[in-house]
Amino acid sequence: MLAMAPAFAQAKKEVLGVSMPAATHSFMAGAVYWANEAKKDLEKANPNIQVIVKTAANASEQANQLQDLVTVNKITSLVVFPFESAALTKPVAQVKAKNIYVTVVDRGLTDTSAQDAYVSGDNTAFGKIPAEYIAKFLNGKGNIVALRGIPTTIDNERMDAFNAVMKNYPNIKLLDAKHGNWNRDDAFKVTQDYLTRFKEIDVIWAADDDMAVGVLKAIEQAKRKDIKLVFGGAGAKGAIKTLMDGSDPLIQANVSYSPKFMYDAIKMTGEARLKGQKLPANNIVPSVLITKANAKDFYFPNSPF
């Protein structure tokens, strides 16, 4: 009997594991939504791929799930959004040591040799774009306050980029920049403090759409009329809908940092592995300015974020 011709041989099955934090807040809920959208689209388009999505409530649970993906599910590639960078570095390295292709998303590892590729949003642009918009909005003169996220390298990158632009505008005064921790309630309290201490504020850089909700609530309660602009960020669907409708004069622009990068990371990894290819080592998803003119391109009504 003749050996089966290569053309009739069964194609190798790609089993792509996805490991990420559970949907404990709206941004992560969006990331989980986009992970499942990627699974649906990849499996529909490619019969030779299976995508397994697992979410974890903490770092130790995620580490255990990685072991299961290797030993039980026999994955051939992994897309991992680490719960914590340091705690997940060794478990991810152990996966890679099994000759499994690894793509890391957003929160990096402390040792990048444990990954094949990295996918993230553009945190420098996330700080630079609002700064440029605000400087132009103020014609180079005015008072602003800022709210920062949780103290992390990501937050530092954003704030450094914001400050680098503002150095070019000596007549714009940054009165203060405190951490609102990407949280509505914390942002409300920080803004109350700002409104008490500063009698004239032109612009508040909220630096996140969840924080912008708390900022707007504090402004409303204080009945302040001096503030002309609140700039959030990340393109949450509520903020984008407000922008599309023009329903709040304080909301005039946004900057993209969508959890959809989880979709991009899974889809890029799956399609590359099916072809036996690798991704570039670093893949930065651009952040862009969102205004009423292009807001519809960033509005995803079915996403929880």
Side-chain angles (χ1 to χ4, degrees):
M1 180 181 293
L2 293 173
M4 183 179 290
F8 297 100
Q10 187 173 6
K12 182 184 176 185
K13 186 93 173 180
E14 182 74 17
V15 183
L16 193 160
V18 178
S19 175
M20 61 192 301
T24 54
H25 58 282
S26 60
F27 185 86
M28 197 54 70
V32 173
Y33 166 83
W34 283 114
N36 284 297
E37 286 294 295
K39 167 184 169 65
K40 185 172 65 179
D41 290 351
L42 263 177
E43 290 182 343
K44 183 179 179 181
N46 305 282
N48 289 323
I49 192 167
Q50 177 188 8
V51 180
I52 301 165
V53 179
K54 289 183 177 286
T55 61
N58 52 56
S60 60
E61 183 180 1
Q62 188 173 27
N64 290 334
Q65 288 179 349
L66 290 178
Q67 287 186 338
D68 288 345
L69 285 168
V70 173
T71 59
V72 178
N73 302 109
K74 312 292 185 188
I75 60 171
T76 52
S77 54
L78 171 70
V79 175
V80 57
F81 190 136
F83 208 101
E84 295 173 12
S85 301
L88 267 300
T89 295
K90 185 176 179 181
V92 173
Q94 290 172 337
V95 173
K96 189 171 183 292
K98 302 285 186 183
N99 292 320
I100 294 168
Y101 187 86
V102 174
T103 297
V104 174
V105 182
D106 197 52
R107 300 173 193 171
L109 302 174
T110 54
D111 179 2
T112 56
S113 68
Q115 69 196 29
D116 292 287
Y118 176 66
V119 178
S120 173
D122 189 341
N123 289 289
T124 297
F126 192 90
K128 180 182 177 184
I129 288 171
E132 292 173 339
Y133 185 91
I134 291 168
K136 186 176 180 180
F137 179 86
L138 291 173
N139 288 319
K141 184 178 181 181
N143 293 330
I144 60 178
V145 292
L147 287 91
R148 305 185 58 169
I150 293 172
T152 56
T153 55
I154 287 175
D155 180 67
N156 290 339
E157 287 176 32
R158 294 174 175 182
M159 195 70 222
D160 289 348
F162 187 87
N163 286 331
V165 173
M166 286 303 169
K167 282 182 180 177
N168 300 318
Y169 299 93
N171 293 322
I172 294 178
K173 187 178 292 184
L174 177 61
L175 300 173
D176 205 349
K178 287 184 176 297
H179 291 282
N181 302 316
W182 296 315
N183 177 282
R184 294 182 185 189
D185 293 339
D186 289 356
F188 176 77
K189 293 172 185 173
V190 170
T191 306
Q192 278 188 318
D193 173 62
Y194 285 159
L195 297 176
T196 301
R197 291 163 53 208
F198 305 117
K199 300 306 177 187
E200 291 188 9
I201 301 172
D202 297 297
V203 172
I204 298 180
W205 180 40
D208 176 81
D209 289 331
D210 266 342
M211 290 202 293
V213 172
V215 169
L216 292 168
K217 185 178 178 182
I219 293 171
E220 182 183 4
Q221 284 196 5
K223 302 185 187 309
R224 289 282 290 259
K225 303 297 183 186
D226 50 319
I227 298 149
K228 305 172 186 69
L229 178 71
V230 173
F231 199 116
K237 66 179 180 182
I240 299 302
K241 188 69 166 58
T242 299
L243 196 54
M244 291 167 64
D245 296 343
S247 56
D248 188 337
L250 290 177
I251 304 298
Q252 299 185 31
N254 204 295
V255 59
S256 65
Y257 195 89
S258 171
K260 186 174 179 290
F261 58 50
M262 198 67 197
Y263 177 96
D264 297 330
I266 295 168
K267 194 161 184 287
M268 288 192 300
T269 301
E271 290 176 344
R273 298 314 296 159
L274 283 168
K275 298 175 185 173
Q277 298 174 348
K278 295 183 177 181
L279 299 181
N282 286 292
N283 304 270
I284 304 301
V285 180
S287 286
V288 301
L289 179 68
I290 307 173
T291 64
K292 188 172 183 176
N294 64 347
K296 62 178 175 36
D297 297 334
F298 298 88
Y299 183 58
F300 306 109
N302 294 328
S303 169
F305 179 71

